[in-house]
Amino acid sequence: MNITLEQAQKAIEAALEKSKELGVKMNIAVMDSGVNLVAFAKMDDAWLGSIDIAQKKAKTARFFNMNSGEIGKLSQPGQPLYNIEHSNNGLITFPGGVLIKDSSGTVIGSIGVSGSTVDDDHEVATAGAEAIK
Amino acid sequence: MNITLEQAQKAIEAALEKSKELGVKMNIAVMDSGVNLVAFAKMDDAWLGSIDIAQKKAKTARFFNMNSGEIGKLSQPGQPLYNIEHSNNGLITFPGGVLIKDSSGTVIGSIGVSGSTVDDDHEVATAGAEAIK
Amino acid sequence: MNITLEQAQKAIEAALEKSKELGVKMNIAVMDSGVNLVAFAKMDDAWLGSIDIAQKKAKTARFFNMNSGEIGKLSQPGQPLYNIEHSNNGLITFPGGVLIKDSSGTVIGSIGVSGSTVDDDHEVATAGAEAIK
Amino acid sequence: MNITLEQAQKAIEAALEKSKELGVKMNIAVMDSGVNLVAFAKMDDAWLGSIDIAQKKAKTARFFNMNSGEIGKLSQPGQPLYNIEHSNNGLITFPGGVLIKDSSGTVIGSIGVSGSTVDDDHEVATAGAEAIK
């Protein structure tokens, strides 16, 4: 199962709504289950450096089928996956990358958000992902 | 002047509408005047290789402030810009990348479309760009 | 639908058999429908430079849902897709990349072969792809 | 001395068997003594991000003629090889990359495994390497 453009746009709309509610300016990327870009939106005046980060967060979540921040706990110095970020042309392993599942729980893609604190990023990504279920 | 997300989404909607009218499956990318991604949409079952090409066409148009196909005439063997495609991490110089101007004629961004013939790609990109004026 | 490891290995075995029949030394790569590597084999003393080419041919076929050599006809100087090879971190657009379809005709992946003439490469790739149907 | 395709496929089969025994889904890569890919297998539903990591682990082991995890001890903050991962287009320095030696103890290649915990990854890689001796 793979996310459709309609679903991806719905996820982005929900993420944009949550961003406005929080008063933050985000970059939002949606990948399909094969880790290919399906939809993207950059809010006006959002950080330019976050265009890439949003995409890498979405990729990271789908690459390992877990939220990006989970990888980040394991990639710290002394932890089992130290410096895993050097793989796959660059991972981003702090929060803001979240899996998108359909109503049956199957992973159909992922969403990555970047532009504010990692807590805000994660909250906005989650709002996007939950709009699909 | 820079394109807004609202304008970019309007361009993408117009490009999607034209794609459906032509019966083609497109990847559509909108860049701002600083050559940064603002919005993207991949239609269901559009070519996976065109995700990158759509973005490179939009970049190419704005990099040199002309439609991507114009560069392609100059980059042929024996022509003045032969193999310019090696610059900027890869240009795409065939049609499908079009400048986006505001009502005063100022360039505010660009749109790149890939997924069908270059004629279709250019027609869809033009439809997207004209929705902004 | 996505190719399984069992199917990918069957395709590689068939390609190896055809290579031995032709007396050539090949590199053989199988990608899934999301353009991710599933299986690979390098015959003893096959060209080292063909390890990458085999993979790029398989990617190119799936990126545009046609045999790699079809793209190459369109990417010549003066043709509509001139220098498309600069996209997607490098395409290989001469023959040797072939789609893999299941018995219903659905694309489930692709196979890329490199190590001999492009005619041999294409013949071996075709033998691999047809072993799945 | 260099690993043959027959040996590489034998290593992969042993690694696949061990993976099934452990109930894990792995990506498995075998490099030759010149650090070139010889064989690869991605188990169904194995992590997509591990396709690259399995290859980088195998490369890392052969680059420095030691198991990948040994490098990881030396690349921690304050240690002599801090951030060596930036070299060679990206190393992966946690366990799962193991040298392959022939019966005389000569290094003939390496195997990299990724898809589970680093302990599982190392165990599966070791099973693959030992199938050659």
Side-chain angles (χ1 to χ4, degrees), chain D residues 42-95:
Chain D
K42 176 187 174 291
M43 294 176 76
D44 299 342
D45 300 318
W47 287 332
L48 293 169
S50 287
I51 297 171
D52 182 56
I53 292 176
Q55 295 181 65
K56 283 189 164 55
K57 283 181 178 176
K59 287 184 177 180
T60 299
R62 173 58 184 154
F63 276 147
F64 305 104
N65 270 352
M66 60 183 90
N67 291 347
S68 57
E70 296 305 306
I71 306 286
K73 294 175 190 167
L74 301 170
S75 69
Q76 297 291 322
Q79 295 303 309
L81 307 184
Y82 176 56
N83 266 350
I84 192 175
E85 293 84 358
H86 286 268
S87 69
N88 296 288
N89 291 319
L91 301 178
I92 289 294
T93 60
F94 43 82

Side-chain angles (χ1 to χ4, degrees), chain C residues 37-97:
Chain C
L37 187 65
V38 180
F40 180 85
K42 175 189 175 291
M43 294 176 76
D44 299 342
D45 301 317
W47 288 332
L48 293 170
S50 287
I51 297 171
D52 182 55
I53 292 175
Q55 295 181 65
K56 282 189 165 57
K57 283 182 179 176
K59 286 185 178 181
T60 298
R62 173 55 185 154
F63 274 148
F64 305 103
N65 273 350
M66 59 184 89
N67 292 347
S68 56
E70 296 305 306
I71 304 286
K73 295 175 189 166
L74 300 169
S75 68
Q76 298 293 320
Q79 295 304 309
L81 307 185
Y82 178 56
N83 266 350
I84 191 175
E85 294 82 359
H86 289 266
S87 71
N88 294 289
N89 292 317
L91 301 178
I92 291 293
T93 59
F94 43 81

Side-chain angles (χ1 to χ4, degrees), chain A residues 33-35 62-66 76-84 86-89 91, chain D residues 47-50 52-53 56 75-77 82-83 85-86 89-95 118:
Chain A
S33 60
V35 204
R62 173 55 186 155
F63 274 148
F64 306 102
N65 273 350
M66 59 184 88
Q76 297 294 320
Q79 295 303 310
L81 307 184
Y82 177 56
N83 265 351
I84 193 174
H86 289 266
S87 70
N88 294 291
N89 291 319
L91 301 177
Chain D
W47 287 332
L48 293 169
S50 287
D52 182 56
I53 292 176
K56 283 189 164 55
S75 69
Q76 297 291 322
Y82 176 56
N83 266 350
E85 293 84 358
H86 286 268
N89 291 319
L91 301 178
I92 289 294
T93 60
F94 43 82
V118 295

Side-chain angles (χ1 to χ4, degrees), chain B residues 22-119:
Chain B
L22 296 173
V24 292
K25 295 166 181 171
M26 297 298 202
N27 288 276
I28 306 155
V30 176
M31 299 281 157
D32 69 12
S33 59
V35 204
N36 299 295
L37 187 64
V38 180
F40 180 86
K42 175 187 176 291
M43 293 176 76
D44 299 342
D45 301 317
W47 288 332
L48 292 169
S50 288
I51 297 171
D52 183 55
I53 292 175
Q55 294 180 66
K56 283 188 164 55
K57 283 181 178 176
K59 286 184 178 181
T60 298
R62 173 56 185 154
F63 275 147
F64 305 103
N65 270 353
M66 59 184 89
N67 291 348
S68 56
E70 296 305 306
I71 305 285
K73 294 176 190 167
L74 300 170
S75 68
Q76 297 291 323
Q79 295 303 309
L81 306 185
Y82 176 55
N83 266 350
I84 191 175
E85 293 84 359
H86 287 267
S87 69
N88 296 289
N89 291 320
L91 301 179
I92 289 293
T93 58
F94 43 80
V98 169
L99 288 171
I100 298 179
K101 298 176 183 177
D102 66 13
S103 54
S104 74
T106 305
V107 175
I108 57 171
S110 57
I111 181 168
V113 174
S114 178
S116 180
T117 64
V118 295
D119 287 342

